[in-house]
Amino acid sequence: MKKVHNFTAGPCVLPQVAIDNAIEALKDFKGTGIPVISISHRTKEWDAVMDECRALWRELLNIPEDYEILFLGGGASMGFLYVAMNFLENKAAYLETGVWAKKALKEAKALGNAYAVASSADTVFNYIPKGYEIPTDVDYFHITTNNTIYGTEIHEDMDSPVPLIADMSSDIMSRPVDVTKYAMIYGGAQKNVGPAGVTFFIVKKDLLGKVSRYIPTMLDLRTHVDGLSMYNTPPVFPIFVMNETLKWLKGLGGVEVMYKMNKEKAEILYAEIDRNPLFKGTAAKEDRSLMNVCFVMAEGYENLQDEFFAFAKERGMTGIKGHRSVGGFRASIYNACPKESVEALVACMQEFEQLHK
Ligand SMILES: *Cc1c(COP(=O)(O)O)cnc(C)c1O
């Protein structure tokens, strides 16, 4: 197979061992003689995967017993609706830090009174708003901890006077998180914890059932708490791969170790962006994401953008094109992105500099 360095934003790079084990399970799931995609989800062999996966989440993120962990379909985008349906009674506040945050807010607006407390839309979301106050008269405050498209990240678990709900699609399991500060954490698996097709929810159970609206069965999180994520057929194969991904993560030493590795990788790449006169970073330095590194050609070198894409592609770099709404480059360096890939990209930038400075 061709050697590539995969920097795509999601679906994205996954640990090789998770992929290898998935391939094995597609042939024979746990010695049953049945491929994992043909096994009934109402079997003890499948139950064991669900139990193991929930236990891994609980252990890796230190999730207390009064929270349930759900694995559903629909993606984070359906999660936006789950949030509003299950938590919005009178009013909700959102931090508008990008397109995903806006989409989350849109769903809440359709169901009630929801608004942005602060926004960084004025400068194409290249920073995290600060100095705002979280209102106390709202049902919840919603944040997007990592803004995948713009490369900004909220690096700390904030204190909130109202239930805090976070879309952590693109930085879940990249660092330790104090789950007790959140009413709910949710996201699509396809950036850090598995393939597309499964959406995770970590929800504080006693906060459910407080809204007066009728919630359609499938959109009611209580349905899935009661059904242990198997009210209907769960996304069996994505959950299997997620479980393998988490086993890999645990084997490396868990989220503390992962966090250290992620910081190291991000530092290497940002250092090169800051040093290399041909490139410049786009996100405010204090808000730079450890997961998505966004940069452009520096002033005077803008005309070299296409040439750098081609140059990098020739050297095996793939997926470094910035999101269509911002342009430039974006290297997504999620958990499973090896340090060697980051070093290869840096070497590529240095080589390119030699050609052009
Ligand atoms: C990718 C992404 C989403 C959208 O996820 P889907 O599973 O495709 O709906 C939402 N929020 C963030 C922060 C993302 O990175």
Side-chain angles (χ1 to χ4, degrees):
M1 214 159 63
K2 196 174 144 198
K3 175 74 193 156
V4 294
H5 297 285
N6 187 356
F7 298 100
T8 42
C12 55
V13 59
L14 286 173
Q16 193 55 46
V17 62
I19 292 166
D20 291 342
N21 292 346
I23 292 168
E24 277 313 304
L26 279 172
K27 296 180 196 155
D28 179 6
F29 174 57
K30 291 191 177 186
T32 56
I34 300 171
V36 63
I37 49 172
S38 301
I39 194 96
S40 163
H41 61 293
R42 308 287 180 197
T43 53
K44 65 175 190 325
E45 288 86 357
W46 180 254
D47 274 339
V49 175
M50 294 294 281
D51 289 343
E52 182 178 30
C53 196
R54 269 189 294 264
L56 279 167
W57 273 87
R58 214 174 270 291
E59 180 185 346
L60 288 166
L61 290 182
N62 202 10
I63 302 172
E65 282 302 320
D66 54 339
Y67 287 76
E68 195 52 78
I69 305 148
L70 308 176
F71 310 131
L72 309 179
S77 300
M78 187 68 98
F80 303 157
L81 184 54
Y82 273 108
V83 170
M85 275 279 176
N86 288 273
F87 294 96
L88 175 56
E89 178 72 8
N90 296 312
K91 216 198 283 188
Y94 282 68
L95 189 62
E96 195 178 78
T97 51
V99 160
W100 298 120
K102 277 173 78 164
K103 287 185 172 171
L105 174 56
K106 177 174 175 243
E107 296 309 301
K109 276 183 171 165
L111 290 184
N113 184 358
Y115 67 104
V117 166
S119 173
S120 47
D122 55 342
T123 53
V124 204
F125 301 112
N126 68 353
Y127 69 101
I128 302 286
K130 294 167 198 80
Y132 61 89
E133 231 168 273
I134 303 173
T136 53
D137 64 340
V138 293
D139 300 313
Y140 63 86
F141 179 49
H142 182 280
I143 58 173
T144 311
T145 50
N146 185 67
N147 299 284
T148 323
I149 295 173
Y150 316 92
T152 64
E153 187 173 13
I154 299 171
H155 294 289
E156 260 141 46
D157 303 309
M158 61 178 79
D159 290 305
S160 170
V162 294
L164 180 64
I165 297 181
D167 172 0
M168 289 199 190
S169 292
S170 53
D171 62 350
I172 190 74
M173 296 279 180
S174 69
R175 65 171 176 92
V177 167
D178 181 355
V179 173
T180 64
K181 292 205 168 165
Y182 299 85
M184 186 162 86
I185 295 168
Y186 70 100
Q190 69 272 23
K191 276 99 188 210
N192 249 338
V193 288
V198 57
T199 316
F200 60 85
F201 293 81
I202 303 165
V203 59
K204 190 152 194 263
K205 283 181 283 188
D206 65 5
L207 293 175
L208 294 174
K210 299 217 188 291
V211 294
S212 54
R213 75 168 53 79
Y214 166 73
I215 308 177
T217 310
M218 277 298 286
L219 287 177
D220 191 336
L221 286 171
R222 287 172 301 180
T223 301
H224 304 297
V225 170
D226 294 344
L228 288 173
S229 302
M230 296 220 286
Y231 171 79
N232 66 326
T233 317
V236 170
F237 191 55
I239 292 173
F240 181 86
V241 183
M242 177 166 71
N243 191 44
E244 294 301 318
T245 304
L246 296 184
K247 285 201 278 191
W248 164 82
L249 180 45
K250 182 181 167 178
L252 282 180
V255 287
E256 294 278 359
V257 173
M258 201 74 253
Y259 186 39
K260 243 170 99 181
M261 292 166 71
N262 285 333
K263 278 197 287 198
E264 193 190 348
K265 285 186 290 178
E267 267 160 29
I268 292 171
L269 190 46
Y270 283 121
E272 177 61 16
I273 289 167
D274 292 341
R275 183 209 63 79
N276 193 318
L278 268 62
F279 300 97
K280 72 168 192 220
T282 52
K285 279 194 180 165
E286 71 275 17
D287 300 324
R288 281 175 163 180
S289 167
L290 298 187
M291 299 282 98
N292 311 96
V293 178
C294 294
F295 56 104
V296 293
M297 301 306 309
E299 279 102 274
Y301 297 103
E302 291 93 340
N303 60 333
L304 293 177
Q305 176 166 306
D306 289 345
E307 196 182 325
F308 183 68
F309 274 125
F311 185 85
K313 190 176 170 198
E314 233 169 71
R315 281 151 187 80
M317 312 298 139
T318 176
I320 59 165
K321 209 175 177 72
H323 189 269
R324 60 191 179 278
S325 63
V326 291
F329 310 99
R330 170 178 54 174
S332 297
I333 52 173
Y334 299 118
N335 284 356
C337 172
K339 187 173 150 189
E340 298 77 70
S341 288
V342 174
E343 288 168 343
L345 178 56
V346 165
C348 179
M349 292 163 80
Q350 290 174 349
E351 236 185 285
F352 195 68
E353 177 194 10
Q354 290 311 316
L355 280 181
H356 289 285
K357 79 171 179 190

